[in-house]
Amino acid sequence: MTIQLRLVFLVIMTFCLSNLSAQEVKFQKSLSVSYETGPLLSNGTDWGNEIKDAVDFKAIDFKIGWRKISNTTFNYIYRYPTLGIGFNSALKNYPEIGMPQSIYGFMEIPFSIKGSDRKVHFGYFTQLGVGFNLRPYDSIANPANRYIGSRVNGYINLGVFSSVRISKRTNFQASFGLKHFSNGAAKKPNAGINLFPLNLSMRMKLGEINPTPSQAPILPDKHLKTFWNFAVYTGVRNYEIGDPAYFRGGVGINYLVEPAYKYRLGLGLDLFWAQGMNLRFPEGNFSFKDRTSLAVVGAWEWQLTERLFVPIGLGAYLYRNTLNQEITWFYERVGARYRFSDTMSAGMQIKAHKAKADFFEFTIGYTIPGKM
């Protein structure tokens, strides 16, 4: 299975399972239709400015959402969020970047519970999915577009929104977000396409209209918990334009504490391995250490639901290999994972150096609870 198909499967699995895992839970269903427009952001180069001036980005967007209004612990602490799936499509086929489209899962979180019942309220959102139908770099047919090297890419959109209630069933919503397409260095060039659109949306509540719970649930006493996490990372990495992509992976172990419902934090070690050193540098003679890198990592897990969480990490190399384009002494990690049980999890995150992608990590995790 290719990296793109694995990404499609992962996104659909993660966001669908996070809703289906609570089939008996109450939801307020909704349908949104929106129009968006905004600039493509240049990277400051001559070719980047040329593409920025050529692309007047306009798109339509459709979303189906389920607002979680059952009076549970996580619903309450995240102010009864809306989860769902969406589809976004540019209205034009641009010669430089194609006709960007995306399928994604999303989560919208109000800034306050009381505010969400007022006529005007505010919040923030995240979207994660797959972008496709892009026109990639080609040295002959499309040499100007050095932003992206593949037709299918990872897609992320982060931003804030305001919502105005027009009637009992209809809301008008406006949002700003930073929209990003990247293949995680699976195929170069991969500077990434960044857009900053304004989105204007009409949202209609479907089915029975259910109010937000008026009273807070009784939250169980929170005791400190500890965990040992073990993870296996797999992915691919392209080092030079026109060259093949090679396996890139690793293993990790960390020790985490859970002082609150929303997060876990701790320390650990990551060992990374790069395939293809002898093919990339046939004149070289490489040892195991040349093919690997070792790092200490600070880990933080943002717990969104009982099962869905966002892993965030900041690592510092104990040793690294610049031939593998580990260009800084530190790296960042962010992504999404889903826990199938108390012990097993799977997901995807991106590892980067100064926000420049190293590779997409497709991850299998195993957790062992520590002493309470």
Side-chain angles (χ1 to χ4, degrees):
M1 185 182 290
T2 66
I3 185 172
Q4 293 89 355
L5 291 178
R6 283 188 289 176
L7 185 57
V8 171
F9 172 77
L10 174 68
V11 171
I12 294 173
M13 175 195 72
T14 299
F15 284 90
C16 288
L17 284 177
S18 64
N19 283 308
L20 293 176
S21 62
Q23 292 182 11
E24 303 302 322
V25 175
K26 269 191 174 183
F27 295 104
Q28 177 63 67
K29 292 176 284 188
S30 63
L31 173 67
S32 299
V33 181
S34 59
Y35 169 81
E36 65 181 30
T37 182
L40 185 150
L41 303 181
S42 172
N43 62 357
T45 62
D46 290 340
W47 59 264
N49 291 331
E50 178 184 340
I51 293 178
K52 168 185 169 293
D53 293 338
V55 174
D56 56 333
F57 183 73
K58 295 177 174 62
I60 55 171
D61 193 278
F62 302 93
K63 290 196 289 284
I64 299 175
W66 295 266
R67 189 177 185 211
K68 305 176 75 171
I69 54 175
S70 294
N71 213 4
T72 65
T73 298
F74 275 96
N75 287 353
Y76 174 75
I77 63 178
Y78 283 108
R79 302 173 289 282
Y80 304 99
T82 299
L83 283 79
I85 56 175
F87 171 75
N88 185 282
S89 176
L91 293 174
K92 291 175 61 177
N93 194 331
Y94 303 97
E96 298 81 8
I97 65 170
M99 188 176 181
Q101 297 176 321
S102 58
I103 297 174
Y104 58 86
F106 71 89
M107 185 173 190
E108 294 178 354
I109 302 176
F111 284 138
S112 72
I113 294 175
K114 291 182 179 179
S116 63
D117 289 326
R118 294 171 183 158
K119 185 171 182 179
V120 180
H121 74 272
F122 303 89
Y124 62 96
F125 69 88
T126 179
Q127 300 174 356
L128 177 67
V130 179
F132 53 94
N133 207 28
L134 285 93
R135 189 178 184 212
Y137 167 86
D138 185 282
S139 60
I140 298 173
N142 192 22
N145 178 19
R146 302 178 201 174
Y147 280 120
I148 211 78
S150 56
R151 295 185 181 277
V152 180
N153 297 269
Y155 164 84
I156 188 169
N157 187 12
L158 306 172
V160 295
F161 70 86
S162 63
S163 183
V164 180
R165 187 172 67 247
I166 298 174
S167 69
K168 187 176 180 181
R169 195 171 286 276
T170 307
N171 282 34
F172 174 79
Q173 188 166 300
S175 64
F176 287 99
L178 178 62
K179 189 187 294 273
H180 178 71
F181 295 91
S182 169
N183 63 43
K187 189 172 183 181
K188 286 195 169 184
N190 188 51
I193 292 176
N194 294 296
L195 300 152
F196 187 59
L198 166 66
N199 183 295
L200 303 175
S201 171
M202 193 68 70
R203 172 167 292 184
M204 294 146 283
K205 295 178 181 178
L206 304 177
E208 181 183 354
I209 296 179
N210 296 296
T212 303
S214 57
Q215 292 185 341
I218 298 174
L219 301 183
D221 292 336
K222 186 73 182 77
H223 302 290
L224 185 70
K225 296 181 180 179
T226 62
F227 304 89
W228 285 99
N229 270 5
F230 301 87
V232 177
Y233 316 122
T234 66
V236 294
R237 178 74 152 86
N238 175 226
Y239 295 92
E240 301 296 339
I241 295 174
D243 284 358
Y246 297 93
F247 174 83
R248 190 93 163 87
V251 294
I253 178 173
N254 55 51
Y255 181 75
L256 301 177
V257 297
E258 185 185 87
Y261 287 108
K262 284 188 175 183
Y263 63 89
R264 298 174 181 177
L265 73 165
L267 287 172
L269 292 172
D270 280 335
L271 176 70
F272 300 103
W273 184 72
Q275 184 195 37
M277 295 288 290
N278 290 333
L279 296 174
R280 292 161 50 211
F281 306 102
E283 73 285 356
N285 184 17
F286 300 104
S287 66
F288 175 80
K289 187 175 180 181
D290 295 325
R291 294 175 169 83
T292 61
S293 54
L294 181 67
V296 59
V297 59
W300 193 73
E301 293 182 354
W302 180 21
Q303 192 76 30
L304 297 176
T305 71
E306 291 86 350
R307 297 295 186 188
L308 182 65
F309 67 100
V310 174
I312 299 172
L314 180 63
Y317 290 107
L318 300 176
Y319 69 85
R320 63 189 172 99
N321 191 337
T322 56
L323 293 178
N324 292 329
Q325 298 183 2
E326 293 169 338
I327 57 177
T328 60
W329 60 268
F330 64 93
Y331 61 89
E332 315 91 49
R333 170 185 287 133
V334 65
R337 292 192 209 169
Y338 185 84
R339 289 192 181 94
F340 297 95
S341 67
D342 291 339
T343 57
M344 295 298 300
S345 65
M348 178 274 293
Q349 56 271 336
I350 190 166
K351 175 176 177 268
H353 301 95
K354 279 190 177 179
K356 187 174 182 180
D358 184 9
F359 72 107
F360 276 127
E361 300 172 324
F362 295 90
T363 303
I364 300 293
Y366 186 79
T367 300
I368 300 175
K371 294 181 179 180
M372 303 296 184

